[in-house]
Amino acid sequence: MDKRIYLIRHGKIDVGEEKRYIGITDLPLSSEGINQAGQLSEYFFHISIEKVYVSPLIRCVQTSEIIVGSRNIESVLLEELKEINMGDWEGKSFAYIKNRFPEQYENRGKHIDTFIPPGGESFYQLQQRVMPAFESIIRSTVGNVLVIAHAGVNRVILSNFLGLPLQEILNVYQPYGCVNELFWDQTYQRWQCKTVG
């Protein structure tokens, strides 16, 4: 099984000066994010790609379009790859939630895997949504594949493959424009992962 799954986080978005909960809020790439996607396009220019799977949120679609450019590569939008839904917290700053809803804020910190913001979903629910779709991608493809998604989505995939408990999910570093390469290790007969950019 000589193929690679390249799990990519979209380029940077502009969320203002304060840290905010930006789950399914549909924000475009910032100018820096466009530059990051351009660098990813250069990185993948000489790599053969069979197919691209993309979250339908605009920041991922833009990242995908810039990476693929004029290459004739099939792109598939997958609803399952959307970022975690933060419900009533969408667009609110961390400081706002901490001050207005201190108990909820504290509970999320203690139970990051199972806490559900009002109207949203937990990382556990996100994993239940994402993993069947991701495993289907692995089963149904032969060559190298790009999966362009979000920090939360990538983290649940990587924690699953690395055997990390969801309680430690925020320890999985996923900066804007990063690339995680998943490949089949013949020696150990299992998927391995390395961050390549």
Side-chain angles (χ1 to χ4, degrees):
M1 188 185 296
D2 186 23
K3 71 174 178 181
R4 299 284 189 271
I5 308 290
Y6 295 95
L7 182 60
I8 301 165
R9 186 185 181 193
H10 61 79
K12 188 173 183 179
I13 55 177
D14 185 4
V15 298
E17 296 300 313
E18 290 188 89
K19 290 187 73 174
R20 295 181 181 278
Y21 296 100
I22 307 294
I24 58 171
T25 302
D26 208 5
L27 298 177
L29 295 178
S30 65
S31 57
E32 185 178 346
I34 290 170
N35 289 336
Q36 288 170 333
Q39 291 168 358
L40 289 170
S41 179
E42 292 176 17
Y43 179 85
F44 286 106
F45 186 75
H46 295 293
I47 297 175
S48 174
I49 302 297
E50 176 190 350
K51 198 175 285 191
V52 182
Y53 293 89
V54 189
S55 159
L57 296 181
I58 188 65
R59 53 195 184 265
C60 291
V61 173
Q62 287 179 310
T63 300
S64 172
E65 288 174 347
I66 294 169
I67 292 174
V68 171
S70 60
R71 297 170 73 180
N72 185 24
I73 302 171
E74 182 183 358
S75 292
V76 179
L77 296 180
L78 276 187
E79 288 289 324
E80 293 89 343
L81 294 177
K82 275 187 176 179
E83 182 59 298
I84 188 170
N85 184 346
M86 293 305 295
D88 293 349
W89 291 17
E90 288 280 339
K92 306 288 195 307
S93 70
F94 285 29
Y96 175 89
I97 297 298
K98 186 176 182 179
N99 290 331
R100 286 291 191 91
F101 309 102
E103 286 186 17
Q104 289 183 21
Y105 183 87
E106 186 178 343
N107 281 337
R108 187 170 194 260
K110 288 180 179 177
H111 308 287
I112 193 67
D113 51 343
T114 57
F115 178 82
I116 305 172
E121 63 185 335
S122 67
F123 277 112
Y124 175 78
Q125 291 171 323
L126 177 66
Q127 191 174 62
Q128 300 307 299
R129 163 161 62 87
V130 168
M131 286 312 300
F134 189 76
E135 287 163 0
S136 175
I137 290 169
I138 291 175
R139 287 193 307 270
S140 64
T141 54
V142 178
N144 299 326
V145 172
L146 304 186
V147 176
I148 302 173
H150 307 268
V153 172
N154 292 3
R155 283 171 172 146
V156 298
I157 292 170
L158 294 170
S159 65
N160 184 275
F161 273 86
L162 298 171
L164 296 174
L166 279 178
Q167 188 67 34
E168 299 176 18
I169 194 167
L170 296 185
N171 293 333
V172 180
Y173 186 53
Q174 288 296 285
Y176 290 117
C178 69
V179 180
N180 310 277
E181 182 182 322
L182 293 163
F183 59 96
W184 183 256
D185 189 318
Q186 292 288 358
T187 304
Y188 296 100
Q189 289 293 298
R190 64 187 174 97
W191 285 89
Q192 303 274 29
C193 173
K194 65 179 180 180
T195 300
V196 294

